[in-house]
Amino acid sequence: MNAPLHQLARPVLTDRFGRRVDYVRLSVTDRCDLRCSYCMPKGFHGFEEPEHWLTFDEIERLVAAFARLGVGRIRLTGGEPLLRRNLPDLAARLKALPGLHDLSLSTNATQLAKHAKALHQAGVDRLNISLDTLDGACNAHITGRDTFDAVMRGIYAAKEEGFAPIKLNMVAMKGVNDHEIERMAEFAMEHDFILRLIEAMPMGETGRNAQYLDLGPVRERLVERFGLVPEVHELGGGPARYWMTPDGGGRIGFITPISQHFCATCNRVRLAVDGTLYMCLGQEEKFEFRPLLRDGATDAELENAIRLAIELKPERHEFRETPGKIVRFMSQTGG
């Protein structure tokens, strides 16, 4: 029997610090229907012009070039990716590219109920869903809109459709939702979801104003409460460190860019909707692919540009040392 394509010998895209880059987070829009307090300020209108968005053809061509260089994981992000029209069509096109073996989506789930079936049929493997609270009033406070019921409908629709795993991303904030962490863990375990707790990052003014919570003590509390033990298997190729219940029935991930950064193992870059490739959330190094795509670059030229871009990837972020350095918002970078 032939081995799956992603297991065959393939090129390896490596940065100057010896880290393999095999994961691209692909933003399909910088628009969002929410204004989460740690992400995008209320009243913000500085969105990218639609004519600057990469078209589906341009996205497919650029992702194909990444895949030929060994990138096997693509995550569709935003903004809110489900605001981009015909997204399942793009997902199906990317899923069919040789070399890609993992296609996932990050969403706030407000639109998920009506798109879950089409996304699953298109080949999206996994979902990460933003859910910071199980309290409707708290949700409205964090997101700026009363969307809790729509979000929950989307989550349950995804579960019914058969997405697995479904990860719930909770940005844990002191004095805002930290009192709900145990409740969120119990909810996730009840429904076979994976809870991922995330430290707020100082991205733009909103991120710096978020009520940062060190997840170290939180992890210790949850380890004792649920008897958690370290998870030894990789769960998606991202930055989370996972712990599981002794019976393996529940898992909690911790994403700690501030208290315990994971830069030494960073395997990802982020492609914004306008074709700008950002090498790090906490640094300014970037490479613009839109001009190349629209000026008729050959496949070989695109691949060479990707290699040059990866050489710009910095060793680490400086969120602790210079928290005011990054003025762009998370939604502008791409999830």
Side-chain angles (χ1 to χ4, degrees):
M1 180 181 295
N2 293 331
L5 182 60
H6 68 272
Q7 292 181 3
L8 300 176
R10 299 175 57 213
V12 175
L13 196 59
T14 305
D15 71 8
R16 56 201 170 100
F17 301 102
R19 296 171 298 195
R20 179 175 179 178
V21 177
D22 62 357
Y23 182 11
V24 173
R25 298 177 67 95
L26 167 63
S27 175
V28 295
T29 181
D30 58 348
R31 267 69 167 173
C32 189
D33 52 348
L34 303 181
R35 292 295 182 271
C36 294
S37 57
Y38 49 80
C39 182
M40 190 189 304
K42 295 178 181 178
F44 177 75
H45 296 291
F47 299 109
E48 191 62 58
E49 295 297 328
E51 58 264 30
H52 294 162
W53 296 0
L54 294 190
T55 66
F56 283 5
D57 286 344
E58 291 168 337
I59 291 172
E60 182 180 8
R61 186 160 180 245
L62 186 54
V63 170
F66 272 104
R68 289 193 297 272
L69 294 175
V71 169
R73 302 177 188 271
I74 297 291
R75 174 171 295 279
L76 301 172
T77 70
E80 170 46 49
L82 294 183
L83 297 183
R84 182 81 182 250
R85 292 182 179 178
N86 301 316
L87 185 65
D89 294 341
L90 175 64
R93 291 169 66 169
L94 298 182
K95 184 69 173 181
L97 291 174
L100 289 186
H101 60 87
D102 185 69
L103 180 65
S104 56
L105 173 80
S106 291
T107 176
N108 63 27
T110 61
Q111 313 293 316
L112 185 55
K114 60 185 177 183
H115 293 297
K117 181 177 288 295
L119 290 167
H120 203 227
Q121 291 176 343
V124 174
D125 299 299
R126 302 179 293 108
L127 296 178
N128 285 9
I129 299 175
S130 296
L131 184 68
D132 296 320
T133 175
L134 291 171
D135 180 86
C138 186
N139 177 75
H141 171 72
I142 293 172
T143 67
R145 287 189 59 199
D146 182 10
T147 58
F148 183 72
D149 290 344
V151 168
M152 297 308 292
R153 285 195 298 272
I155 290 173
Y156 291 132
K159 179 182 179 181
E160 183 176 349
E161 187 59 35
F163 284 101
I166 294 174
K167 299 177 182 178
L168 303 181
N169 287 350
M170 178 184 188
V171 178
M173 293 171 282
K174 184 181 297 185
V176 177
N177 62 352
D178 53 331
H179 63 287
E180 288 192 74
I181 291 174
E182 280 84 355
R183 183 184 176 198
M184 284 283 290
E186 290 168 351
F187 171 78
M189 292 176 189
E190 177 186 353
H191 292 280
D192 283 332
F193 302 146
I194 297 174
L195 176 64
R196 306 203 314 168
L197 299 172
I198 305 173
E199 292 179 344
M201 289 173 276
M203 295 283 295
E205 181 181 354
T206 49
R208 286 189 290 277
N209 290 336
Q211 290 84 343
Y212 168 74
L213 179 68
D214 183 338
L215 287 181
V218 173
R219 182 177 58 247
E220 293 176 6
R221 193 172 79 224
L222 293 178
V223 165
E224 181 176 357
R225 166 69 175 79
F226 296 103
L228 301 177
V229 296
E231 168 67 73
V232 296
H233 300 294
E234 180 185 281
L235 295 176
R241 298 177 174 96
Y242 290 96
W243 292 66
M244 64 180 182
T245 55
D247 63 1
R251 287 175 171 81
I252 301 177
F254 299 86
I255 300 179
T256 55
I258 310 301
S259 66
Q260 188 181 9
H261 73 76
F262 35 81
C263 301
T265 58
C266 183
N267 64 339
R268 68 205 67 88
V269 289
R270 288 169 167 82
L271 185 67
V273 66
D274 66 348
T276 301
L277 189 71
Y278 290 97
M279 311 307 156
C280 175
L281 277 177
Q283 300 287 4
E284 297 288 2
E285 285 83 356
K286 62 184 179 181
F287 192 100
E288 296 183 3
F289 281 93
R290 189 179 74 233
L292 288 175
L293 289 162
R294 297 188 179 177
D295 288 344
T298 66
D299 286 351
E301 288 170 336
L302 281 180
E303 291 174 20
N304 187 54
I306 290 171
R307 293 188 185 96
L308 292 174
I310 297 303
E311 285 295 301
L312 300 175
K313 188 170 173 62
E315 185 174 13
R316 62 183 299 269
H317 65 67
E318 298 173 341
F319 283 142
R320 275 193 179 275
E321 297 86 346
T322 55
K325 181 175 184 177
I326 302 302
V327 298
R328 66 182 186 272
F329 303 114
M330 179 73 80
S331 60
Q332 296 172 300
T333 305

